[in-house]
Amino acid sequence: MNPEDRAQELELAEHEHNQAAAILPQPTRPSAKWCAGPGCGERIPEARRQAMPGVQLCLACQGHFERTKGRHAAN
């Protein structure tokens, strides 16, 4: 991972943490080390795990989930 990608990942993780801290209850389970997304299994970076306690999805799967959850709920 190049330094620019790493900086962007850390910035996004911090932003997510700040949003979650304001609206989400404390997690009831520990953060996953490996993504639970269908067919994924990618390692979840430590920075994301720390920024989002209880996280279960990698950044790519979380983005996909957020983009598609409205379509699945409507069906």
Side-chain angles (χ1 to χ4, degrees):
M1 177 179 290
N2 70 43
E4 292 169 355
D5 289 341
R6 178 74 175 139
Q8 184 179 16
E9 181 179 275
L10 290 173
E11 184 178 331
L12 181 58
E14 181 179 12
H15 176 73
E16 288 176 346
H17 173 73
N18 291 339
Q19 285 184 322
I23 61 172
L24 295 177
Q26 292 297 315
T28 57
R29 58 184 172 183
S31 296
K33 290 183 180 180
W34 303 96
C35 181
C40 182
E42 290 291 320
R43 185 165 182 81
I44 298 175
E46 185 63 28
R48 177 165 171 75
R49 296 177 70 231
Q50 289 180 8
M52 298 290 297
V55 70
Q56 301 297 304
L57 300 174
C58 70
L59 212 52
C61 288
Q62 183 68 42
H64 176 75
F65 172 76
E66 290 176 5
R67 286 188 306 274
T68 60
K69 68 181 176 183
R71 282 186 261 161
H72 293 301
N75 291 333

